[in-house]
Amino acid sequence: MTRHPLDSLSTEEFTRTTAALRASGDLIPSRRFASIALDEPTKETVLAWREGDPISRRSLSVLWDRADNKAYEALVDLAEDGVDSGGVDTVVSFDHVPGVTPNFTVDEWHDCDVAMKADPRVVAALAERGLTDLDLVCIDVWTYGAAVMPEKYKDKRLGWADIWVRSTPTGNPYANPVSGMKLIVDMNTMELLEIDRADSVAAPAPVMGEYEPDLVPGQTLRTDIKPLEITQPDGPSFEVDGNVIHWQNWSFRLAFNYREGPVIHQVKYNDHGTERDIAYRMSFAEMIVPYRDPSFDHYRRTAYDIGEWGLGYMTTSLALGCDCLGEIRYLDAVLPDSHGEPSTIANAICLHEEDNAVLWKHVDSLNGRAEIRRARRMVVSIHATVANYEYLVYWRFYQDGNIECEVRATGIMVTTPIAEGAATPPTGTLVDQRTYAPFHQHFLVARLDMDVDGQNNTVLEIDSKALPVGPDNPYGLAVVTEATPIASEAESGRDFNWDTQRGWKVVNPDKLNGIGTPVGYKLVPGAAFPVMMDPSAAQFVRAPVMGHTLWVTRNHDDEKWPCGNYPTQSLTDDGLTKWIADDESLINTDVVLWYVFGLHHITRPEEWPIMPVDTVSFWLKPFGFFDRNPSLDVPPQPGHGGTAGPATVGHGDHGTAGKGPSCH
Ligand SMILES: [Cu+2]
């Protein structure tokens, strides 16, 4: 296996990073790691690299000091190839970053639960509520936005914690919220600063919040499901070569880090022997989940599951036959803990191909000849568990050049009891007895560094328009499209428009296809929704990226996080709005698309006590990238020659049931 500049850090490289920082004296006992990741080489460096060239490996660590709450960024040169440092790991820089709070860590999440349950004030407060079995209590710490932090704690690494109670030792913790009580925690000392209490508190509601069958009263399981097995006797059709996946005409390179989870690099399509670029880098750059309920229990609840917690850190191991069905290849992922010690998430990334019904088909109704092709898709997926929620991420590659990015949300909704006799708040849905689930939104930001046949691309906004009735349109039927270049960054915040069925096309103006039009890929929007927030709202000020469906920026290697490098406890945006302030031209240059989509979550009773997946997606579809349907070369199903069959016809009228066209 050949090493590549984009390979994620190995177990050994994490360990060596920690060792180098210890040796340099920078890793004193009060300091913890928020993250360690590959200091990704610049795009220019990567594109210039050829197999056999030396590789410069550097790690970028973010640390903070629990004694004084100062944050640091550390660059360590890992000497493997001896490019810069003559064979010795060296700390290149160790810099204080003023005024920021690094992401929270999994270790702190667990430590906070233990520390709070050991605090006599917490024990007493729970006893007042009749809760004395601490083994049933779960403390979930959340982060703050600066605007809602108590003034006196603004210089602290501050957490606020929900309290939940299981009904039984294996019961659902999120079934029973302890309403009207939040623990305010200094995350550096793990001290309880205060218990914030609501003025009035609803009594616990008589909910049935269990989903494990033995805990659901009277639950029986369906018995009419027969086995459905997926077998690939000759193995899957893809190859895993180091971190590169080859499948049919596609190839791409996988990486993984604490923040984005999976990153898909160098997406290419082999078009009759020519490797053609489509995208350089695709990932999720941020997720913002503002709860839209101003009540005591929820006003501070806005999660940045990527910037504050890390989609990689939250990634869980997948189980064959449950999470993934069929002929699966798994990749492990390695991430550090807060002491810089690496550990492996086994089976973190699932690779497999799926049958996806029909790819293309036509029945010649005159002679009965039928041509039918089954569709296959190559899927890269991970599952992340973020406290009560699960996010399932699927990147799918299709035989016709399409790329689909799908996200499924499942898990358990946050709920709150309603006081006896009180109305359901208008900001949520009643989901159980005296219990509502507050409305909220999940904004996902996909970062798409597109390189359509090279780096020089322009993004066109495509609107469909009906022409007025006139001499050229006597029947009032004409629909045309208008293509408007997104010329510069200041005008790049664009919205989905239902009236014009808007989409965006990334074209390479210098590269024409065989029929004479510029090659392109179209971003077909899906699951876009407006922010519906006053511009002055503190959560909007922190994350203006939520305000539009699409943003486009000129690519800069250091512009990866649209709400800033450090969104934890942020007051304003330190990302996107700063990047576009210089209004760089976007014409015929290296563009990055930031696609904002997700779930506008108007909660439903059917999503309680556990949510069946809510599924959202967007697509990247070739638009003139190929000269014609690129999947004409997909063969018929083995043993099904592809032509002939009984002519069964008509225009969907009668008599065809049970004897439809056959593909053989
Ligand atoms: Cu939701």
Side-chain angles (χ1 to χ4, degrees), residues 469-485:
V469 176
D472 296 333
N473 185 29
Y475 311 108
L477 285 171
V479 163
V480 297
T481 57
E482 280 179 11
T484 312

Side-chain angles (χ1 to χ4, degrees), residues 389 440 442 599 601 611:
Y389 249 83
H440 57 278
H442 306 248
L599 293 86
H601 198 167
M611 258 179 87

Side-chain angles (χ1 to χ4, degrees), residues 452 505-508 511 513 518-522 621-626:
V452 178
K505 200 156 82 175
V506 185
V507 298
N508 185 329
K511 177 84 192 298
N513 57 31
V519 297
Y521 252 79
K522 187 174 181 183
K621 297 188 173 186
F623 197 117
F625 187 77
F626 303 105

Side-chain angles (χ1 to χ4, degrees), residues 289 291 388-389 391 409-410 412-414 438-442 599-603 607 611 614:
V289 188
Y291 278 68
N388 54 306
Y389 249 83
Y391 296 101
T410 177
I412 300 152
M413 296 186 300
V414 167
F439 301 148
H440 57 278
Q441 296 159 302
H442 306 248
L599 293 86
H600 179 71
H601 198 167
I602 302 301
T603 50
E607 293 168 340
M611 258 179 87
D614 201 348

